[in-house]
Amino acid sequence: MGKGPSGLTQRSSSWFLEGRSPWTVAGNAIDDLHSIDEQMQAVHTCLLRHALPTKAPFVAASEAASTAAATKVTQSDFSQLPRVREAAAGKIAEPLPGCSHWPPTAASRGAVGTAATKVTHAHDTTSLFVIMFRRGLSDAEIADLINHSDTLDNVESDSDDSECNGVFEEDEIDDSLSSDEDENDVEGVASNPAAVPYPKDSEWTAVDTYRPLPVNTTPRQILVDIDESSSVLDCSKVFLTDSDVNELKRQTNLYASQTIQKKRRGNNLKPHSVLSSWKPVTISEMRRFLGIIFHMCVSKKPKIADHWSTNPVLSCNFCPHVMSRLRFTQILSCLHLVDNSNQKKPGEDGFHPLYKVLPYYNNLKERCIQAYRPSEKVTIDEGICPFRGRVSFRVYMQNKPHKYGLKVYAVAEASSGYVVNFEVYAGKHIVDNSSSAVILRLLSDSSLLNKGHTVYLDRFYSSPELFQQLAEKGTGAVGTVNKSRKGLPKDLVSAKLKKGEMSFRRKDNVLAMKWKDKRDVYTLSTRHQATFGTHTKRNGSVVLKPLQVLDYNLNKIGVDIGDQRLQYNPFQHRTVKWWRKLYFHLLLMGVSNAFWLYNAVHRKKITITDFITVLAVQLVEDDTLEFIPRNEGTVGRLTKRHFLQHIPATTKKYAARVCHVCSSRSKKQSGKASRKETRYECEQCGVALCLEPCFKIFHTKKQYDSV
C-alpha cells in the first residue's frame, strides 16, 4: 500500500480488520504522513468515517484536538501554536485547518487550550480527548485530569504504536470504548500506574471510616385522645370525622340539585330516572351509606345490586335492612366531595388535577401526621390505587398485582405499616417528581428530618447524592441501588466477586457495597459499616450476610404491610370516575390506620376484617339511627321470626288495611285487586295480613300470590 492520503483508506481499513481501535489507527496514520494537511486528512478519515459518534460537539472536539496535535507533531513548526490557543479560547471565528464544525463548544475550547501546551503526540491527544468526551466529563474535570497527569509532559514522539502508552494502553482504550459494554459499566482506571482515575470516583475510598449519625431514641406515641375504652367507631373518627360526613352530605345534595336542574332545563329528566324521586340526603342516611360501603368491602358480590337480591344464593340481610337499593343507588350516583362550579381548567391559576378529592385528601394527610409519632425506622415506597379508566396521570407498574392505576407514594412506620404521610402522583408538571424530591418532600411534610430517623428505600429512589443529603439533615438511610445510578463508583460496579464475597467504597457518610449472592446485590447505607452478620434460615442453617442487607430485609416492608391490609378488603366498585376510586382508596387507608391505633390501645387484638365489620354495624346502629323496616320483597320474610300485631289506631277506634296476600292473589287472577281488609299486620315486615291463612302463606311461600 502506498503512502499519502490516497492510500490511507486501504491501510486504515486493514488496520480495523485486524481489530485495532480507531484511535490507534489514527495515530498510525499520522505517523505515516508528514505535512499538516496530510495529517489532518488522515485523522478525519480514520476518526470520522469509521462508525464514530457524529454529534457536532464531539466531532468539533476531536477535530480541534487533532488539529492542535498535528500542529506540533512535526517537532519543527510551532508557528500555529498561538493560533491554536486563540481558537481554543474563542477569540477567532475562522476555523482551523480541517475543522468542519466551528466554533467548538466550551468544553472543546477548554480541553484543546490546555492540551495544546502539554501534548506532543497526535495519538495521545486524540485518544485522551475522545475518551474524555465519551465519558461526559466537565471542563473542570478535563482540566484537572490533564493538569494532574505526570506522564503527559514526558511523552516521546515515537511512531511505534506499542510505545504510545502515555495515557491508555491500546487494549484498555478498546475496552473502554467497546460498544458491547454498557457505558456505566466501563472500568474507570487503566493499568498504567501513572493514569489518573475518574475525578468523581476518586472521592470514594476503600477505607471504612464510619462517622455515626444521630439516632432517634424516642418511642412511638399515639397523639390523639383514644384509650382502651375507645370503640372501633371512635378510632375511625380520627380519620373520618363528623365534619367530613357533613361536608359529604352537603356536596352530594348540591351536586344532585345542580344535575336535576340541568336535566329539567334540557327536558332530559326521565320519569323512571333514579333522580326523578330524589330527596335531600340526611346525616343519618349518609352514615348508613358509608356503613353499606364498608359492608361491601367484607361481603363481596358479583354486582352491587346483588346485595339486595332475593335469590337465596346471593341474598344479604344487612343492606336491605339498612337502606333500599333505590336510595343507595341515588346517593352513589350523586356522591360528591367538592363544588364542580369552582373547578379551574388546565392552564388557569389555581388548577389542581386532584381537585375532585382535594379537601379530604389534604385533611387525611394532616390527620395521619398529627395522630401518631413513629419510631426510628420508616419505609418509603409506592403503592397503587387500581384504575383502568381514563385520566392523564394513570400509570403502569409492571411489578404490582394491579398493573394500571394511580400511583401513591407513602412513608410508613417499618414495624407497623402505619401510613404517616402520602402523596398521589398527579402528573409530570405539577411538582418536582424526581425520586430525591419526592423523598425529601414526604419526610419534610411529616416532620421526620433532623430527628435521627432511618429511612429504608428501594433502588427506584436510592442514590449517593440523596443519601448524602439525608445525612446532612440528620437522617440515616439504607437501601438497594441500581448499579447504573449516577455517582456510584465505577470500580465497585466492575469488580468481579465470587458468591458470598463483598466489596465496598465509602465517601463521607455513604457506604456503597456490592455483595455476591445468587446475583450481584448493590446497596447504599449511612448507618452501617462493611461487616457481616449471621442469618438463620428456616431449615436452621446459619449463613453470613452483610449487616446492611439484613437490616434492609427486616425493615423494607412498612408500606407493603399497609398495602396488604388494603388488599384484604377492597371496595370493588367499577366506575369510570377516577376520583371516586381514589376517594374510596383513601377512605380505606384511613380505616387501616384506625385499625392499627385500635389494636395498639387494646389488649385483645382483632383482624382488619373484623374491624371493618364492626365499623359497618356501629355506623348504622348509632343512637340517632333506627333500622328501617324490611319490605316484602326481601328473603328475610321467609327465614326470620315474625309476629302479628294490631294495626296502630289513627282517627278510627279500630284501624284496618287491605290484606296484602288477598289483594295480590285477586289482582293476579282477575286483574282487579281485592278490597278485603284486616286489623292485623306483621310487626317486622309492616305488611297487613289476614290472621289465617295469609300470615302463614306470606312467610312460607315465595310465590304467595299463586297459592
Side-chain angles (χ1 to χ4, degrees):
M1 298 182 187
K3 291 190 175 185
S6 59
L8 176 63
T9 303
Q10 296 178 0
R11 294 196 306 279
S12 63
S13 298
S14 65
W15 290 334
F16 272 102
L17 292 175
E18 293 174 7
R20 303 188 190 183
S21 71
W23 327 118
T24 303
V25 174
N28 291 344
I30 291 174
D31 291 336
D32 203 25
L33 302 173
H34 298 287
S35 70
I36 292 178
D37 292 338
E38 289 180 342
Q39 291 164 0
M40 291 314 306
Q41 184 176 352
V43 170
H44 296 165
T45 301
C46 293
L47 298 186
L48 305 181
R49 295 183 183 177
H50 290 277
L52 297 180
T54 57
K55 295 181 179 179
F58 175 84
V59 176
S62 61
E63 289 186 304
S66 302
T67 302
T71 302
K72 296 194 65 179
V73 76
T74 60
Q75 298 295 319
S76 60
D77 184 6
F78 294 92
S79 61
Q80 294 195 45
L81 185 56
R83 177 179 171 85
V84 172
R85 292 174 178 170
E86 291 180 351
K91 296 180 179 179
I92 57 176
E94 64 271 17
L96 294 175
C99 290
S100 58
H101 298 277
W102 199 265
T105 62
S108 303
R109 293 196 300 269
V112 175
T114 306
T117 62
K118 281 185 168 290
V119 183
T120 59
H121 197 285
H123 180 188
D124 297 332
T125 308
T126 306
S127 302
L128 173 66
F129 281 101
V130 174
I131 290 171
M132 286 191 297
F133 276 94
R134 179 170 176 83
R135 288 171 175 165
L137 302 182
S138 65
D139 293 3
E141 292 166 344
I142 293 173
D144 182 70
L145 179 61
I146 295 174
N147 292 332
H148 289 79
S149 176
D150 297 330
T151 62
L152 294 178
D153 289 327
N154 302 317
V155 177
E156 297 182 358
S157 177
D158 196 326
S159 61
D160 187 359
D161 57 289
S162 65
E163 297 177 7
C164 295
N165 58 0
V167 180
F168 283 88
E169 296 287 352
E170 177 181 338
D171 293 337
E172 293 157 358
I173 296 172
D174 290 340
D175 292 340
S176 67
L177 298 171
S178 173
S179 60
D180 294 333
E181 294 288 339
D182 184 77
E183 185 175 340
N184 293 317
D185 294 337
V186 178
E187 287 192 28
V189 182
S191 60
N192 192 318
V196 180
Y198 285 123
K200 292 181 180 178
D201 288 0
S202 65
E203 301 175 8
W204 295 88
T205 68
V207 180
D208 194 9
T209 54
Y210 175 61
R211 293 182 295 174
L213 294 174
V215 178
N216 187 311
T217 58
T218 305
R220 59 191 184 188
Q221 182 180 0
I222 297 175
L223 304 177
V224 291
D225 187 19
I226 59 172
D227 52 31
E228 194 170 0
S229 63
S230 301
S231 66
V232 167
L233 185 59
D234 293 333
C235 295
S236 299
K237 284 185 177 181
V238 173
F239 306 99
L240 182 65
T241 64
D242 291 336
S243 61
D244 290 333
V245 179
N246 186 56
E247 182 65 13
L248 187 62
K249 178 214 69 170
R250 191 176 71 85
Q251 293 297 340
T252 299
N253 286 333
L254 177 62
Y255 177 75
S257 176
Q258 293 172 344
T259 304
I260 291 172
Q261 290 178 9
K262 182 179 179 180
K263 287 182 176 292
R264 283 176 176 169
R265 285 195 300 267
N267 198 25
N268 293 325
L269 188 61
K270 299 180 180 180
H272 299 290
S273 169
V274 293
L275 295 179
S276 60
S277 58
W278 170 265
K279 294 180 181 179
V281 183
T282 65
I283 289 289
S284 173
E285 286 182 312
M286 188 54 69
R287 288 174 178 164
R288 294 184 184 190
F289 172 82
L290 292 174
I292 291 177
I293 293 293
F294 291 130
H295 162 78
M296 291 179 176
C297 293
V298 297
S299 178
K300 299 174 178 60
K301 307 287 183 185
K303 296 180 295 184
I304 286 182
D306 290 338
H307 290 272
W308 284 266
S309 174
T310 59
N311 188 329
V313 177
L314 299 173
S315 63
C316 167
N317 291 326
F318 183 83
C319 295
H321 203 106
V322 174
M323 182 179 289
S324 69
R325 186 182 67 181
L326 175 61
R327 189 55 173 166
F328 179 86
T329 305
Q330 287 178 330
I331 298 175
L332 182 62
S333 63
C334 295
L335 188 69
H336 247 67
L337 305 176
V338 291
D339 185 358
N340 286 348
S341 61
N342 296 330
Q343 185 175 9
K344 304 295 183 180
K345 295 181 180 179
E348 295 181 352
D349 292 339
F351 168 76
H352 198 291
L354 301 178
Y355 174 79
K356 291 279 192 178
V357 296
L358 198 57
Y360 182 71
Y361 171 77
N362 290 333
N363 290 338
L364 182 61
K365 287 182 63 174
E366 184 178 355
R367 290 164 190 160
C368 289
I369 296 171
Q370 295 178 352
Y372 182 69
R373 182 173 62 200
S375 57
E376 177 215 342
K377 299 179 179 181
V378 296
T379 307
I380 296 182
D381 203 352
E382 72 274 1
I384 192 167
C385 169
F387 181 71
R388 283 185 168 266
R390 286 187 172 184
V391 64
S392 61
F393 45 88
R394 189 191 72 172
V395 299
Y396 173 78
M397 302 179 70
Q398 182 178 6
N399 296 327
K400 296 293 183 181
H402 298 280
K403 309 298 182 185
Y404 294 91
L406 311 180
K407 183 188 290 187
V408 182
Y409 301 107
V411 50
E413 188 179 41
S415 59
S416 67
Y418 178 94
V419 177
V420 181
N421 193 13
F422 61 92
E423 179 180 303
V424 176
Y425 171 78
K428 297 180 180 179
H429 307 296
I430 306 304
V431 293
D432 184 0
N433 286 300
S434 63
S435 58
S436 298
V438 170
I439 298 300
L440 294 175
R441 193 163 54 243
L442 283 171
L443 294 175
S444 177
D445 294 345
S446 309
S447 300
L448 296 178
L449 293 176
N450 298 305
K451 292 184 177 179
H453 288 279
T454 304
V455 184
Y456 294 83
L457 310 168
D458 63 19
R459 63 179 184 175
F460 177 80
Y461 304 97
S462 300
S463 69
E465 181 183 3
L466 172 62
F467 276 48
Q468 186 59 40
Q469 289 178 348
L470 291 173
E472 293 171 358
K473 295 180 182 295
T475 304
V478 181
T480 56
V481 64
N482 196 320
K483 70 175 182 179
S484 61
R485 184 70 71 186
K486 181 180 178 181
L488 206 63
K490 302 295 188 297
D491 56 341
L492 178 68
V493 174
S494 60
K496 304 298 182 182
L497 303 176
K498 296 180 181 180
K499 185 173 182 180
E501 292 182 340
M502 174 183 67
S503 179
F504 73 93
R505 294 291 183 273
R506 180 174 287 279
K507 182 173 69 173
D508 297 330
N509 296 99
V510 183
L511 174 68
M513 188 201 69
K514 178 179 180 180
W515 174 59
K516 182 72 172 182
D517 192 28
K518 292 182 179 178
R519 58 182 63 86
D520 291 335
V521 178
Y522 298 87
T523 59
L524 295 175
S525 175
T526 58
R527 287 293 193 196
H528 299 89
Q529 291 182 280
T531 56
F532 282 87
T534 59
H535 170 67
T536 304
K537 294 185 176 181
R538 293 181 180 179
N539 59 8
S541 61
V542 178
V543 295
L544 292 177
K545 291 186 178 181
L547 285 179
Q548 62 197 78
V549 173
L550 295 173
D551 190 25
Y552 175 75
N553 288 339
L554 185 64
N555 296 288
K556 67 181 180 180
I557 59 174
V559 176
D560 296 333
I561 294 174
D563 283 344
Q564 186 179 33
R565 292 182 189 140
L566 296 182
Q567 294 303 316
Y568 286 148
N569 304 284
F571 178 55
Q572 297 176 337
H573 167 49
R574 299 185 63 181
T575 177
V576 297
K577 297 182 178 180
W578 65 267
W579 67 265
R580 190 177 289 175
K581 272 284 190 181
L582 181 58
Y583 172 67
F584 289 130
H585 183 84
L586 296 178
L587 201 64
L588 290 173
M589 185 183 294
V591 170
S592 175
N593 279 357
F595 159 76
W596 191 86
L597 293 181
Y598 179 88
N599 275 347
V601 297
H602 287 77
R603 295 181 180 178
K604 185 178 180 181
K605 313 301 180 185
I606 62 174
T607 65
I608 182 67
T609 302
D610 292 339
F611 183 87
I612 296 177
T613 302
V614 175
L615 176 60
V617 173
Q618 291 184 356
L619 276 171
V620 301
E621 286 187 341
D622 197 313
D623 294 339
T624 61
L625 301 177
E626 294 180 0
F627 284 110
I628 64 171
R630 291 180 175 275
N631 58 52
E632 40 78 23
T634 62
V635 74
R637 68 180 177 86
L638 302 175
T639 58
K640 298 296 182 180
R641 300 176 65 186
H642 300 270
F643 302 93
L644 274 174
Q645 69 175 9
H646 285 285
I647 297 175
T650 53
T651 57
K652 297 181 180 180
K653 185 176 180 180
Y654 300 106
R657 290 164 51 193
V658 176
C659 175
H660 183 75
V661 174
C662 294
S663 176
S664 300
R665 185 188 305 162
S666 175
K667 186 175 182 179
K668 185 174 183 179
Q669 293 176 352
S670 63
K672 186 177 180 180
S674 170
R675 296 292 301 171
K676 183 178 180 181
E677 293 185 344
T678 177
R679 294 173 54 191
Y680 298 95
E681 69 176 1
C682 177
E683 180 180 359
Q684 283 68 39
C685 301
V687 178
L689 297 167
C690 295
L691 182 60
E692 191 179 4
C694 296
F695 180 83
K696 180 179 179 180
I697 293 174
F698 181 77
H699 292 108
T700 57
K701 304 294 184 182
K702 184 176 182 180
Q703 302 295 333
Y704 55 83
D705 55 356
S706 300
V707 179

